[in-house]
Amino acid sequence: MSKVSVAGSKGVMPAVIETIHELNLVHLSDYDGSWEGFDNGNPIEGADDASEKLVTVRALESTLDLADADVEPQRGQLDENWENRLEEIRTRVNELDDQRSDVRDDLRQVEERINRVAPFAELGIDLDLLSGYETIDVVVGEGRVDAIEDALEASDEIRAYETFTGGDVVAVAAAPTDDAGANPIDDALVGVEFTRHEVPDTEKSPSAYVDDLESRKADLESRLEEIDAELAEIRRKEGSFLLQVESELSIEVQRAEAPLQFATTGRAFVAEGWIPTDEYDRLRSALRDAVGDSVEIEELERADYDRHGAHSHTEEVQKGAPAAEDEDDEPSPEADEEPQKAVTDGGSAVTMGDEPPTVQNNPGPARPFEVLVQAVNRPKYSELDPTIFLFLTFPAFFGFMIGDFGYGLLYVAIGAYMATQFDSKGITSLGGVAIWAGLFTMLFGIIYGEIFGLHVLGEWLFGGSDLLPLNKGLEPAAADFALGWMVVSVLAGIVHLNIGYILDFYENLSHGVKDAVFHSGSWLLMLNGIWIWIFSRQAAGTKPGFLFETFASDGPFPIGFTGFPEWVLVTIPLGIADFPLSAPLLVFFIGFALLIISEPVEAVEFIDVIVNVFSYTRMGAVLLAKAGMAFVVNLLFFGAYRDPEGAFHFLRNHEPSYVAEHYGEGAEVIFGGLMHSGTAGLLGGLIILVVGHIVVLALGVTSAGLQAVRLEYVEFFNKFYDGGGEKYEPFGHDRTYSED
């Protein structure tokens, strides 16, 4: 990226804006008002009018529910009378929208009146009989009849009453005493649960009244459909025109408001921005062709990426020299020593001081994972983009935790649907992430030999193999695997954190080897030193046995590893007891010393090299939890038994009676299974089977997905990543519905 400056008189500013806009290359910097004698520019004449029209067009699009997919795009220049056409559309659409609002209000009132009269229809009493009396009061509502009558009976203001019921509705006709108040029935029913209904003012019967209202409702609904049909026709005929007008007005407003980002005086302006370095000549040529020598163009500084994608250096170019100066000319020492100031006569301008914008340009397969990085923050230009590392580790973590071919297949299908059926870039990116997560879930499902919690896949693929499939460790006979997966999770954490610290070491090399060694190297030494010691045979009796049994020849993962040697270098006498200093502990203490020297405050966090690694055991925990849930769902449906050797088997192909017949007393039926419990049990079991696996599938996202994201964001990113970059958004417009 290169920082460029364009300076000239205000007379050529519109032409400069037009040219830069058409190139769609320059990411404009915002002037912050800090230069003496310069202010932010004012919008070009006509900006307010264009903004008002743009608001009008977008309001019309909203009223018409206009979407790009509803219309064919209209290309070409707008007609000369487009403003009159727009005004005609606005007038007609607003009229129809007002009519629609009025009809909806009337319809809502009619529906409310229908709802109010419905209780009276249950009574079966003409409405004119429920009001208009001088000597008795009539009230209609809903409540318990016995409670209402008890309250009326106890009232001193009522000498006689009668109740009429229909459904849940109660009508009360009461004769008050001579000294009764204005509302004797209401006074009597205080404390009684009673919902009063106002009596409609009509002489018609409730059914006739409802019929009239239903007829009125039908008329209003018909009118509403007519209005919607006319709006739909306007959308069909004028939609592409409105989109074209919006595109043109958006361009006009963007151009007109560009000076707000410029530094200006009464007669001149200075604009700065970032462009790809190899596009500088094209920008310069385009401006020369447009305005000749009326502007001065400078490349102020240049920032480069190295071959790894990290920010290599930022160099200032042409400092204190006119833009036309040959790039090979070296500025004089005197020019370097002179303080820069903003000028408008062709000299250099003080840079506006913003960082280069970021362009994330990852390989196609990794691109969907950019949305996960941006959820934290976009990488700065000077930072390594962690997307590729997220792409390499997140799906693996997710697949490790779920590890089921059937679930993985469904995740791929859901991801493919999201990636192909939605226009939102965020949703399509998440679809791509789901596809990769599903593929790794299928891969680990093959390793575990599982499909929807059943081990049939392993039987088909590996037969009687001694190594594969691997067991998740749910059965008592395979409990060593449960602890083994915790150890594997710890090792995955050690590798993952090493990558994070190595990336931090690499980035700190730009500040010098010393800084990298003291800041990042110290953590690398501590991390690896302490964990190699933990897996060493020194003090093995005080450490958990599964650390050395997991990878032993007779362990769940038989690779023959039983721990690192003790590697004791020297025994240090401490008076009470001697302390054997091993090589891994020495490495740890060296790293700790480097950290104290370089970052004394951070030294109190040295325990993170242990705690952060333990965080990865959540992967093993989720693996066992999700496998356990799928196991329970299958157990309820199929049932299961334990053979004489303690191995578990689902009753997929046999009745429970098969166990006793085949094994005798040495086997045990754990649960007979709903599948084998008659027709009702089978139907109920199928519901449990389907719903249960759907729940496990959904919880896989909320548990495995969130845990994997947490490990990436909290444990991994914190080692080397800050974020806070700005997206590269060049000043310009990709025309979709318009052309010059």
Side-chain angles (χ1 to χ4, degrees):
M1 283 283 178
S2 290
K3 185 71 171 290
V4 296
S5 170
V6 179
S9 65
K10 279 192 173 179
V12 299
M13 188 166 64
V16 170
I17 292 173
E18 173 77 18
T19 303
I20 294 176
H21 191 277
E22 291 302 318
L23 288 174
N24 197 26
L25 283 176
V26 183
H27 178 97
L28 288 175
S29 302
D30 290 319
Y31 172 57
D32 61 4
S34 61
W35 297 349
E36 185 179 351
F38 286 81
D39 296 312
N40 293 92
N42 297 316
I44 295 175
E45 185 178 354
D48 291 341
D49 182 57
S51 295
E52 289 177 5
K53 287 186 173 64
L54 183 59
V55 170
T56 298
V57 171
R58 288 175 175 167
L60 290 174
E61 292 176 355
S62 176
T63 302
L64 294 171
D65 294 326
L66 187 63
D68 295 359
D70 294 337
V71 296
E72 290 294 327
Q74 177 176 310
R75 299 183 180 275
Q77 292 185 344
L78 289 170
D79 297 335
E80 292 183 0
N81 64 339
W82 69 267
E83 293 184 70
N84 294 332
R85 182 179 175 185
L86 176 63
E87 180 59 24
E88 291 174 1
I89 296 172
R90 185 196 67 80
T91 301
R92 185 55 183 155
V93 168
N94 286 347
E95 288 176 356
L96 290 171
D97 190 44
D98 290 341
Q99 292 177 24
R100 182 168 61 178
S101 297
D102 292 340
V103 171
R104 284 174 174 171
D105 288 340
D106 291 343
L107 185 59
R108 184 168 54 254
Q109 292 174 12
V110 168
E111 289 173 342
E112 289 175 354
R113 290 163 68 187
I114 291 174
N115 292 334
R116 285 201 303 268
V117 81
F120 299 94
E122 293 187 40
L123 282 173
I125 302 175
D126 287 350
L127 297 175
D128 60 337
L129 299 177
L130 297 173
S131 60
Y133 300 101
E134 294 182 359
T135 58
I136 63 172
D137 290 341
V138 179
V139 172
V140 180
E142 294 182 34
R144 288 175 49 199
V145 177
D146 55 349
I148 293 171
E149 291 179 343
D150 290 344
L152 294 171
E153 194 74 38
S155 175
D156 295 332
E157 295 185 344
I158 295 176
R159 54 188 174 83
Y161 69 89
E162 188 72 35
T163 59
F164 308 89
T165 60
D168 296 329
V169 182
V170 181
V172 178
T177 61
D178 294 337
D179 57 349
N183 300 296
I185 298 178
D186 290 337
D187 294 339
L189 295 180
V190 171
V192 177
E193 240 182 81
F194 184 77
T195 303
R196 180 168 177 167
H197 298 303
E198 295 297 328
V199 179
D201 184 16
T202 178
E203 297 180 355
K204 296 181 180 179
S205 67
S207 58
Y209 188 59
V210 169
D211 288 342
D212 288 347
L213 292 175
E214 290 288 354
S215 176
R216 174 61 176 160
K217 178 182 176 182
D219 292 340
L220 291 172
E221 289 175 340
S222 176
R223 177 56 185 151
L224 194 60
E225 290 176 358
E226 292 175 1
I227 295 172
D228 288 339
E230 189 168 352
L231 288 172
E233 181 65 15
I234 295 174
R235 178 171 64 244
R236 186 186 66 81
K237 287 184 177 180
E238 306 293 354
S240 58
F241 167 73
L242 290 174
L243 290 173
Q244 184 187 23
V245 172
E246 182 194 13
S247 177
E248 288 290 348
L249 289 174
S250 296
I251 293 172
E252 185 176 344
V253 169
Q254 190 181 34
R255 290 171 176 166
E257 293 181 349
L260 295 172
Q261 296 176 269
F262 296 177
T264 63
T265 65
R267 294 181 297 176
F269 75 93
V270 177
E272 291 186 9
W274 293 93
I275 64 170
T277 300
D278 56 2
E279 297 285 1
Y280 174 70
D281 290 338
R282 185 155 76 98
L283 171 67
R284 185 183 180 86
S285 298
L287 288 173
R288 290 296 184 217
D289 292 342
V291 296
D293 294 330
S294 299
V295 294
E296 293 295 333
I297 310 155
E298 288 187 86
E299 184 180 12
L300 299 176
E301 57 181 284
R302 184 179 301 166
D304 292 328
Y305 285 112
D306 64 17
R307 62 186 180 87
H308 298 286
H311 178 233
S312 175
H313 64 285
T314 300
E315 59 182 23
E316 294 185 0
V317 293
Q318 300 180 343
K319 186 176 180 181
E325 186 178 355
D326 188 5
E327 292 186 3
D328 294 333
D329 292 344
E330 294 290 338
S332 65
E334 292 78 7
D336 279 343
E337 294 173 0
E338 291 178 0
Q340 290 184 325
K341 58 183 179 179
V343 295
T344 58
D345 58 357
S348 294
V350 174
T351 180
M352 293 179 183
D354 55 330
E355 289 291 323
T358 301
V359 179
Q360 289 181 269
N361 187 22
N362 292 285
R367 203 159 293 153
F369 291 82
E370 290 178 356
V371 71
L372 295 183
V373 174
Q374 292 165 12
V376 177
N377 221 323
R378 189 179 302 276
K380 296 178 183 176
Y381 183 87
S382 57
E383 282 187 308
L384 188 69
D385 186 348
T387 300
I388 191 67
F389 299 99
L390 200 64
F391 163 67
L392 294 173
T393 56
F394 175 83
F397 289 166
F398 186 93
F400 171 80
M401 285 185 272
I402 302 299
D404 187 288
F405 190 87
Y407 294 146
L409 199 61
L410 291 178
Y411 285 132
V412 170
I414 294 171
Y417 178 80
M418 294 171 63
T420 57
Q421 300 301 313
F422 290 88
D423 295 328
S424 168
K425 184 179 178 181
I427 295 178
T428 57
S429 294
L430 289 176
V433 173
I435 290 173
W436 280 106
L439 290 173
F440 273 83
T441 301
M442 293 168 65
L443 173 63
F444 278 95
I446 293 173
I447 294 173
Y448 301 142
E450 281 198 6
I451 178 168
F452 294 115
L454 299 173
H455 287 277
V456 293
L457 188 62
E459 297 171 7
W460 295 337
L461 294 178
F462 306 113
S465 171
D466 294 332
L467 181 60
L468 293 175
L470 299 177
N471 199 304
K472 288 186 176 179
L474 296 180
E475 303 102 359
D480 289 345
F481 275 94
L483 291 173
W485 291 123
M486 296 297 177
V487 177
V488 171
S489 300
V490 165
L491 294 177
I494 294 171
V495 173
H496 200 220
L497 294 180
N498 264 292
I499 294 173
Y501 284 127
I502 290 171
L503 293 175
D504 188 55
F505 183 91
Y506 174 78
E507 291 201 326
N508 280 321
L509 283 175
S510 61
H511 304 294
V513 175
K514 179 180 177 182
D515 186 78
V517 169
F518 276 82
H519 184 75
S520 308
S522 58
W523 289 102
L524 279 168
L525 293 174
M526 288 193 297
L527 173 68
N528 292 286
I530 195 64
W531 280 101
I532 290 175
W533 179 81
I534 289 173
F535 280 95
S536 73
R537 300 297 303 182
Q538 186 179 7
T542 63
K543 300 174 183 177
F546 60 81
L547 292 177
F548 312 110
E549 297 166 1
T550 297
F551 300 103
S553 299
D554 57 347
F557 308 106
I559 63 174
F561 175 78
T562 58
F564 294 111
E566 293 191 24
W567 286 321
V568 175
L569 300 176
V570 63
T571 299
I572 303 174
L574 297 178
I576 300 175
D578 294 339
F579 176 72
L581 180 63
S582 64
L585 285 179
L586 178 61
V587 170
F588 170 80
F589 286 129
I590 291 173
F592 186 52
L594 292 175
L595 184 62
I596 291 176
I597 295 171
S598 61
E599 299 286 346
V601 176
E602 287 189 16
V604 298
E605 300 176 358
F606 75 96
I607 197 68
D608 283 357
V609 295
I610 297 177
V611 174
N612 289 350
V613 172
F614 277 137
S615 293
Y616 287 80
T617 57
R618 67 187 69 232
M619 292 200 302
V622 172
L623 181 152
L624 295 173
K626 291 296 156 286
M629 293 175 66
F631 180 89
V632 170
V633 171
N634 291 330
L635 175 65
L636 291 173
F637 180 73
F638 295 106
Y641 68 94
R642 183 167 51 206
D643 65 22
E645 297 179 357
F648 279 68
H649 306 276
F650 288 114
L651 287 166
R652 294 182 290 108
N653 304 317
H654 305 289
E655 294 287 334
S657 59
Y658 164 85
V659 178
E661 295 172 1
H662 186 73
Y663 291 107
E665 296 181 359
E668 176 189 2
V669 174
I670 299 171
F671 180 67
L674 296 173
M675 173 184 177
H676 309 293
S677 302
T679 303
L682 176 62
L683 293 176
L686 284 172
I687 294 174
I688 291 175
L689 185 70
V690 173
V691 173
H693 282 301
I694 290 175
V695 170
V696 177
L697 184 78
L699 290 178
V701 177
T702 59
S703 58
L706 293 180
Q707 293 298 347
V709 165
R710 183 201 176 281
L711 292 174
E712 298 285 359
Y713 290 170
V714 178
E715 313 299 345
F716 184 60
F717 278 20
N718 280 351
K719 304 300 177 284
F720 67 96
Y721 184 70
D722 292 325
E726 184 179 0
K727 183 181 178 181
Y728 172 63
E729 293 183 316
F731 175 68
H733 192 84
D734 293 327
R735 293 177 180 269
T736 304
Y737 303 105
S738 60
E739 292 179 358
D740 282 341

